[in-house]
Amino acid sequence: MATIIALTNQKGGVGKTTTACALADGLAAKGKKVLGIDLDPQGNMGFSLGLDIENCHTLYDVFKKVVPARQAIQHTDCCDMISSDIMLSSVELEFNGAGREFLLRNAIADVAADYDYIVIDTPPSLNILTVNAYVVANHLIIPMSPEILSLLGVAQIKETVDNVRASFNPNLNVLGILLTKYNRRTLLAQEVSEMADNIAKQLNTVVFQRKIRTSVAAAEAPAHGESILTYAPKSNPAFDYSGLISEIATALKIN
Ligand code: ADP
Ligand code: MG
């Protein structure tokens, strides 16, 4: 059965999608079979990995039972992928009955066993789509960027995690907080580290040792349809993401 990792933070622009792409690419490069799933109606993950998300079946079609998951899987240069588009935003209104938290779990039941890892990108919100990710995930990774680091949003994430644990997925684990767009040289770095440690304590988790540094290459990569690891393998963030993947592998006791 696949190990399922979801990237989450209700704030936008913190590096969820960048990290999802790097993780999917990096795990695939280690010879793992990886399925990416985009739960964000903005469709950035599929687009960032080079897919044409407008002329294919999407996760929404799977939720609507138009096609089974297998038929919505596309192949990127690094991994398999079920992409999304703006249609997914109607899920909140369309699916309002019992069991709406299990849309994703049911959708991928047939294909999950084909993969070593499933990497889920989530929208910048804590809505039913996010809950669907938390219901299927084994592990959550919470990317945070220094400029919007705050304890405020953490209480909301914690509440959602606690609710999902209580009702649907008792083993949901918060694997760690990932500092992105990090610049060690600023005066703020020390403050940022302390704040991140505090946030991690609230969530009973750790801050990953490896912090992801800033580079324009990270912003350029999506337009080239490649993760930062493939687009600019010698860049600082690529180096940092490789280190992160090793750290995750150690934490999960995999090779
Ligand atoms: P989210 O999915 O949380 O909204 P993204 O991964 O899309 O965040 O990142 C937001 C923006 O920041 C994007 O333009 C992305 O290219 C850029 N970005 C992400 N990580 C880095 C980084 N390490 N260095 C520079 N820019 C980055
Ligand atoms: Mg995103």
Side-chain angles (χ1 to χ4, degrees), residues 5-232:
I5 301 175
L7 286 308
T8 183
N9 188 329
Q10 73 273 37
K11 300 266 169 61
V14 296
K16 288 183 292 295
T17 303
T18 306
T19 305
C21 294
L23 211 54
D25 195 2
L27 289 166
K30 279 178 171 284
K32 306 295 179 190
K33 255 206 115 200
V34 180
L35 174 67
I37 297 180
D38 195 352
L39 263 181
D40 184 354
Q42 291 174 94
N44 292 343
M45 186 180 184
F47 171 81
S48 298
L49 290 177
L51 294 176
D52 172 3
I53 59 167
E54 276 169 13
N55 298 300
C56 62
H57 287 300
T58 62
L59 189 59
Y60 178 76
D61 298 326
V62 183
F63 284 176
K64 292 287 281 181
K65 296 197 160 66
V66 175
V67 288
R70 205 172 295 279
Q71 273 184 47
I73 292 173
Q74 291 182 280
H75 308 290
T76 77
D77 286 344
C78 65
C79 65
D80 285 358
M81 176 89 216
I82 301 179
S83 56
S84 283
D85 63 9
I86 193 67
M87 289 304 292
L88 193 65
S89 57
S90 59
V91 162
E92 191 95 39
L93 287 173
E94 272 187 61
F95 296 88
N96 47 23
R100 64 205 292 258
E101 296 86 1
F102 296 105
L103 284 167
L104 183 60
R105 182 144 102 188
N106 294 337
I108 62 171
D110 288 350
V111 297
D114 297 352
Y115 295 93
D116 301 309
Y117 287 92
I118 298 179
V119 178
I120 305 176
D121 193 15
T122 65
S125 45
L126 289 171
N127 58 15
I128 191 63
L129 292 168
T130 325
V131 167
N132 266 270
Y134 288 18
V135 168
V136 293
N138 303 109
H139 305 284
L140 300 179
I141 294 177
I142 306 175
M144 291 189 168
S145 63
E147 69 267 21
I148 59 161
L149 203 61
S150 82
L151 284 166
L152 272 173
V154 177
Q156 292 167 299
I157 297 183
K158 187 171 186 312
E159 196 185 335
T160 310
V161 169
D162 287 344
N163 287 342
V164 169
R165 275 186 187 141
S167 305
F168 311 111
N169 184 4
N171 297 322
L172 178 64
N173 175 41
V174 181
L175 194 57
I177 309 270
L178 175 67
L179 282 175
T180 60
K181 304 185 185 176
Y182 187 74
N183 187 348
R184 211 172 273 128
R185 284 191 301 267
T186 65
L187 284 172
L188 274 175
Q190 182 61 27
E191 271 177 44
V192 164
S193 281
E194 280 168 19
M195 175 75 91
D197 283 338
N198 260 329
I199 289 172
K201 273 198 203 105
Q202 307 276 321
L203 290 164
N204 226 338
T205 187
V206 295
V207 180
F208 288 110
Q209 292 289 320
R210 201 56 73 114
K211 326 252 186 274
I212 311 299
R213 285 168 289 176
T214 300
S215 158
V216 288
E220 290 166 1
H224 295 262
E226 292 174 335
S227 92
I228 180 69
L229 292 182
T230 300
Y231 174 68

